[in-house]
């Protein structure tokens, strides 16, 4: 597929183009295209005054707040005066930051950045305090040094959590799924895998390897305990790490999203029904039921002595602490289940984002064409974009919509389109066949406000505005699954 450009006329309308012979050299553009047929039926009809659309109504839309990495951005610094109304002002495509951030960078195992979130220091202090109190009962001779031992335990425990997350990361890399980062935070860790597994079998393996490695670590700590005296510092630390990894494995195997067991349940339902969305819905609702169970059941179990305490030993402060921790954990599970549903809904609607149907009709203009004349031609043709071409019809640049709006109407006869255009780069030439995640990935790779859309032969199909992609993105998120 040739997406590197080439000479040719822009399409005459927004309907599917007629089949062309490969290698056919299109004729150079006419100086003033004739009026054309209407645009795609799914695009709103625009007033024939300028190619600029009306300001989008997406700013502040609650649906945008739910969307992961929604398209945001602003015009390039060289756009001139800030426009008062421009859909393109918010029209940058989804941009992946060069560095995802999220806390203190600790390293890059397997090329994946590992971050420690600020909340980790809170939970590390909490573990140090709680475990230190337990050490005072088991090893009272340690004195204040017990808190150093407790801090070491907190660090070792989160090192085990990191190994758990690295298992997910290695499996994702093995399946050629990009991993954005690993983050250690308040309640464990998160591996941010940017794409979905292609099959339910891979999804199951990807989820299961984390709890499996935690079980392996628990077994290793158990074996390491055997030659060690139980009443010593090494014995207490090894016993604590064995139990904590066992708890991590058991908790993550619970069958509800966003836990690993929920992803395993999703894979099973996906395999049975053949529909990944059905698996997500089932696992997410089980996750929400699990959140309610944690909220109610965890304080009750602790009050009844299921975790080693009893009603005689518990105080009012302990009850408040248990209820608070249960509420935080339940909120995390509930929110994660809801996010999983939203992401599944987005993936279900992503195929609707097609470059061919979102592309605006464009007219070719030469570099010295006055802006007013170029707009007249565009209005006559029913087009909404301008492509600057050379004498042979080869595309050179795209006239920026934000720059057009910034030029007062009385100055437009004296401003050449070349002064408002952005030179084309290879990344700004995209195929008309792109759709879904492939389209978003290409736009992320080269952030811009407009893109030249070309056919496989290199002919100009039109101009894709990032603002139109943004609106379609938001509509996809707002539409029910």
């Amino acid at each position: 597929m040739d997406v590197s450009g080439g000479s040719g006329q822009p399409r005459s309308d927004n309907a599917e183009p007629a089949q062309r012979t490969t290698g056919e050299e299109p004729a150079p553009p006419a100086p003033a295209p004739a009026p054309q047929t209407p645009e795609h039926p799914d695009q709103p009809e625009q007033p024939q005054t300028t190619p600029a659309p009306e300001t989008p109504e997406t700013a502040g839309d609650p649906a945008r707040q739910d969307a992961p990495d929604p398209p945001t951005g602003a015009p390039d610094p060289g756009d001139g005066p800030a426009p008062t109304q421009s859909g393109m002002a918010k029209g940058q495509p989804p941009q992946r930051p060069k560095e995802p951030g999220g806390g203190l960078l600790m390293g890059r195992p397997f090329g994946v950045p590992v971050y420690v979130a600020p909340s980790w220091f809170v939970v590390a202090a909490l573990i140090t305090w709680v475990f230190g109190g337990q050490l005072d009962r088991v090893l009272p001779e340690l004195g204040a040094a017990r808190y150093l031992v407790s801090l070491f335990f907190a660090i070792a425990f989160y090192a085990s959590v990191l190994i758990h997350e690295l298992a997910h990361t290695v499996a994702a890399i093995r399946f050629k799924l990009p991993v954005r980062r690993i983050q250690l935070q308040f309640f464990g860790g998160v591996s941010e895998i940017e794409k979905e597994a292609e099959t339910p079998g891979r999804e199951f393996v990807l989820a299961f390897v984390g709890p499996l490695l935690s079980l392996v670590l628990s077994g290793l700590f158990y074996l390491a305990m055997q030659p060690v005296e139980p009443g010593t510092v090494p014995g207490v630390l090894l016993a604590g790490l064995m139990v904590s990894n066992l708890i991590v494995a058991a908790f993550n195997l619970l069958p509800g999203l966003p836990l690993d067991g929920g992803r395993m349940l999703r894979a099973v339902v996906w395999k049975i029904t053949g529909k990944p969305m059905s698996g997500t819905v089932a696992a997410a609702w089980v996750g929400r039921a699990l959140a309610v169970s944690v909220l109610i059941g965890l304080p009750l179990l602790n009050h009844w002595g299921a975790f080693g305490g009893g009603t005689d030993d518990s105080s009012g402060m302990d009850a408040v602490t248990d209820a608070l921790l249960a509420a935080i954990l339940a909120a995390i599970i509930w929110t994660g289940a809801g996010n999983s549903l939203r992401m599944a809904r987005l993936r279900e609607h992503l195929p609707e984002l097609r470059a061919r149907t979102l592309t605006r009709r464009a007219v070719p203009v030469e570099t010295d064409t006055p802006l007013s004349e170029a707009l007249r031609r565009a209005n006559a043709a029913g087009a909404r974009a301008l492509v600057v071409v050379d004498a042979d019809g080869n595309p050179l640049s795209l006239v920026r919509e934000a720059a057009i709006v910034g030029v007062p109407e009385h100055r437009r006869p004296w401003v050449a389109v070349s002064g408002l255009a952005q030179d084309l780069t290879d990344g700004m030439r995209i195929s008309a066949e792109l759709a879904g995640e492939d389209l978003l990935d290409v736009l992320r790779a080269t952030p811009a406000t407009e893109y030249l859309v070309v056919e496989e032969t290199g002919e100009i199909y039109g101009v894709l505005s990032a603002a139109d992609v943004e609106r379609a993105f938001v509509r996809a998120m707002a539409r029910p699954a």
Side-chain angles (χ1 to χ4, degrees):
M1 180 186 296
D2 178 17
V3 295
S4 59
S7 60
Q9 285 185 328
R11 62 195 174 108
S12 60
D13 55 36
N14 277 1
E16 295 292 327
Q19 188 175 7
R20 299 183 177 92
T21 305
T22 304
E24 179 183 351
E25 187 69 22
Q36 308 295 335
T37 57
E39 299 184 331
H40 291 298
D42 59 328
Q43 289 183 351
E45 189 172 339
Q46 301 293 326
Q48 300 300 314
T49 54
T50 79
E54 296 179 359
T55 303
E57 300 292 338
T58 56
D61 191 335
R64 290 186 61 188
Q65 298 171 8
D66 293 337
D69 295 331
T72 56
D76 294 335
D79 283 346
T84 56
Q85 278 194 336
S86 173
M88 200 63 67
K90 301 185 185 70
Q92 289 279 13
Q95 298 184 33
R96 180 178 304 153
K98 293 181 180 179
E99 193 60 68
L104 181 64
L105 178 63
M106 301 302 294
R108 295 177 179 274
F110 306 104
V112 177
V114 175
Y115 290 90
V116 173
S119 60
W120 177 86
F121 295 96
V122 177
V123 75
L126 182 62
I127 292 174
T128 301
W129 176 60
V130 172
F131 195 67
Q134 295 175 348
L135 281 178
D136 191 35
R137 292 192 294 269
V138 179
L139 299 169
E141 66 274 11
L142 286 178
R146 67 182 183 273
Y147 291 110
L148 289 177
V149 177
S150 299
L151 179 60
F152 178 82
F153 170 78
I155 295 172
F157 169 66
Y158 267 85
S160 301
V161 173
L162 175 59
I163 293 173
H164 174 111
E165 297 303 329
L166 284 174
H168 293 305
T169 296
V170 172
I173 294 173
R174 174 68 180 80
F175 295 145
K176 295 181 171 50
L177 301 175
V179 182
R180 184 169 180 244
R181 67 177 178 180
I182 297 173
Q183 187 184 51
L184 301 179
Q185 49 189 335
F186 191 85
F187 272 110
V190 176
S191 299
E192 297 185 8
I193 301 172
E194 296 187 326
K195 288 191 176 180
E196 192 177 67
E198 296 177 355
T199 65
R202 290 187 173 186
E203 174 78 358
F204 189 92
V205 171
L206 191 60
F208 182 59
V209 290
L212 176 62
L213 203 54
S214 292
L215 287 172
V216 170
L217 286 174
S218 182
L220 291 176
F221 286 125
Y222 174 77
L223 293 176
M225 283 172 54
Q226 301 312 304
V228 177
E229 229 179 286
T232 61
V233 170
V236 172
L237 284 175
L238 290 171
L241 290 171
M242 179 199 71
V243 172
S244 60
N245 276 277
L246 191 60
I247 292 173
V248 168
F251 181 73
N252 274 279
L253 285 173
L254 293 175
L257 286 172
L259 303 175
D260 293 330
R263 297 181 60 191
M264 294 162 63
L265 174 62
R266 175 183 182 271
V268 171
V269 177
W270 178 3
K271 179 68 174 178
I272 294 172
T273 63
K275 298 177 181 178
M277 186 64 184
S278 298
T280 302
V281 171
W285 278 105
V286 172
R288 286 176 168 175
L290 182 62
V292 175
S293 301
V294 167
L295 179 64
I296 299 173
L298 195 60
L300 290 177
L301 288 173
N302 198 39
H303 179 70
W304 292 335
F307 302 115
T311 55
D312 296 336
D313 301 327
S314 61
S315 65
M317 184 58 69
D318 291 336
V320 171
T321 303
D322 294 340
L324 180 61
L325 291 177
I328 294 174
L329 189 56
I332 291 173
I333 296 174
W334 184 280
T335 304
N339 287 339
S340 298
L341 280 174
R342 282 189 288 271
M343 286 297 296
R345 185 175 67 199
L346 171 62
R347 287 193 175 100
E348 191 174 50
H349 291 303
L350 269 183
E352 300 172 15
L353 300 182
R354 296 188 296 272
R356 188 176 293 278
T357 57
L358 292 173
T359 296
R360 300 177 177 185
R361 184 160 55 246
V363 295
V365 292
E366 296 190 355
T367 56
D368 56 352
T369 305
L371 177 58
S372 58
E373 171 61 16
L375 294 178
R376 186 195 66 78
R377 297 183 192 178
N379 288 335
R384 298 170 57 207
L386 301 171
V387 179
V388 179
V389 298
D390 61 17
D392 296 323
N394 298 310
L396 301 175
S397 56
L398 301 178
V399 179
R400 295 170 297 186
E401 181 182 4
I404 293 175
V405 178
V407 178
E409 190 168 353
H410 68 276
R411 291 190 55 212
R412 291 177 178 179
W414 318 106
V415 176
V417 292
S418 58
L420 308 174
Q422 181 177 8
D423 291 339
L424 284 170
T425 63
D426 287 341
M428 292 172 62
R429 303 171 191 259
I430 65 174
S431 169
E433 305 304 323
L434 286 175
E437 287 193 60
D438 292 336
L439 173 62
L440 294 182
D441 288 342
V442 169
L443 301 191
R444 286 192 193 104
T446 308
T449 54
E450 290 96 356
Y451 299 83
L452 180 68
V453 181
V454 295
E455 296 283 8
E456 292 184 8
T457 59
E459 292 178 278
I460 299 172
Y461 183 70
V463 171
L464 177 65
S465 165
D468 294 340
V469 179
E470 177 180 359
R471 284 191 289 271
F473 187 96
V474 173
R475 285 197 301 269
M477 283 302 299
R479 192 176 303 123

